[in-house]
Amino acid sequence: MHRPALGEAHLAARAWLRGQIVAAGLEFRIDRAGNHSAFLACGPAGAPTLLMGSHLDSVPHGGRFDGALGVLAALETLRVVREAHVSLPVHLEAMDFTDEEGTLVGELGSAALAGTLSAQMLQNPRGGRAALQAGLARAGLAEVGLLAARRDPATLAGYLELHIEQGPRLVQAQAPIGVVTGIVGLCSYRLTFAGQGDHAGTTPMADRQDAALGASAFTLAARQVVLEDFPGCVVNVGEMRFAPGAFNIVPAQVDVALEFRAPEPEMLDRLEAALLGQARAAAGQFGLELQVEPLGRTDPTPMSKAAQRAVAEAAGALGLAHVALASGAVHDAQSLAAVCPAGMAFVPSVAGASHSPREFTPWADCVNGANVLLQAALRMALEGGREGREGIG
Ligand code: GLV
Ligand code: MN
Ligand code: MN
């Protein structure tokens, strides 16, 4: 599945979703961040809305289930409630958030809706400014609209997201459902190691300022630091761009796409300091300049206790074994947790594979997950009406 945010394939998938929403007799909505949604007015006038959903964009050459499962299960939940003529204390809305995966910014649509998106985050995004501008133009969106897409939190009863686990723990535990306790924090950086381009045949080895050596030494050192000093954390160098980039030129510059994740904010801070220290040391070792560009940070986020309870009780009522687990992937639920009670349910990923065409979840597990989403949504909806909203987090 190759559906980077706001590319042609992504826009085609969104057009398809719109058709499904209309065919289901639901109200189609699109906001100024491009978030697509189906709305069902099943609550009293002026009632808040319980959101559900995920994203239809994918990483480059990713899988079929990451995000799409949550959008379609949310849509199906609305269809079931509509067909059953159920009245609830809240309205329901199934969301397809813009650019969750961060080929442009990351959690772009959900952050815009939550009101946590800043103009500064749009100035130096992960995917580059030009790609963001081109994507927005293709989709008919504007930056000023993104920054105005915030919804009043008083109108939000909560948020629930069904997603594949993207790791091996549910399969290992032989549990069909995961109740997500919290979501990992993530930092992205572009590091630029700059040396000197030279003739690769005639420049003595000792005289080179080879930018590739700094980037490579850093990559190995970063792995070692995490393995030795940061249990529960991860680091990834997902891309290196060599310039000028030829067999017979000593690399003058290497741009490194760096991402690292930690379960606690304080750990993310320490990891950041340790990795940037390693980058400076690697540059120094090979006589290189280092440029450091921060491209975004998402803090570790606990899921709401009420949402966790709703998911666990839904699974229990359906006779589905469930385990509590933290998410090592980031999700739109993280954005929503800033403004309303937010929670997630996971279903198993075969071999733990994700962000890869090997991603797979059997249909029976998808159906279990969709049923848990429906039942959890009904629980949250009724609780939201009876007890009002709990505190955030
Ligand atoms: C999103 O899937 C991420 O965790 O990168
Ligand atoms: Mn996802
Ligand atoms: Mn993903």
Side-chain angles (χ1 to χ4, degrees), residues 50 86-90 375-388:
L50 177 66
V86 177
S87 290
L88 295 171
V90 299
Q375 297 301 327
L378 294 175
R379 278 175 160 73
M380 287 253 308
L382 295 172
E383 199 166 281
R386 239 188 354 257
E387 296 172 15

Side-chain angles (χ1 to χ4, degrees), residues 70-158:
V71 174
L72 296 186
L75 175 59
E76 179 61 8
T77 296
L78 264 64
R79 293 206 307 204
V80 167
V81 171
R82 181 177 178 274
E83 285 162 13
H85 303 289
V86 177
S87 290
L88 295 171
V90 299
H91 304 303
L92 296 178
E93 189 167 353
M95 305 294 305
D96 160 28
F97 288 112
T98 300
D99 179 38
E100 188 274 347
E101 292 287 9
T103 42
L104 299 175
V105 177
E107 290 183 36
L108 175 60
S110 54
L113 186 149
T116 54
L117 186 70
S118 67
Q120 191 212 335
M121 288 155 78
L122 302 176
Q123 284 313 306
N124 200 11
R126 275 200 347 176
R129 196 56 204 149
L132 175 62
Q133 286 171 324
L136 293 178
R138 240 185 331 266
L141 298 170
E143 283 178 48
V144 50
L146 289 175
L147 295 167
R150 174 183 176 273
R151 287 216 208 163
D152 179 356
T155 65
L156 305 175

Side-chain angles (χ1 to χ4, degrees), residues 250-306:
V250 174
Q253 182 171 312
V254 178
D255 290 341
V256 169
L258 170 69
E259 190 194 85
F260 46 92
R261 306 183 187 213
E264 303 293 338
E266 160 277 328
M267 231 178 177
L268 192 58
D269 292 339
R270 281 195 296 116
L271 180 57
E272 182 173 41
L275 291 174
L276 295 183
Q278 290 296 337
R280 281 189 288 273
Q285 185 185 353
F286 295 101
L288 307 169
E289 298 285 318
L290 177 71
Q291 197 182 313
V292 173
E293 252 181 302
L295 300 181
R297 171 178 171 129
T298 316
D299 272 312
T301 311
M303 293 290 92
S304 121
K305 290 277 190 281

Side-chain angles (χ1 to χ4, degrees), residues 66 100-101 166 261 329-330 355:
D66 177 355
E100 188 274 347
E101 292 287 9
Q166 310 181 272
R261 306 183 187 213
V330 296
H355 283 189

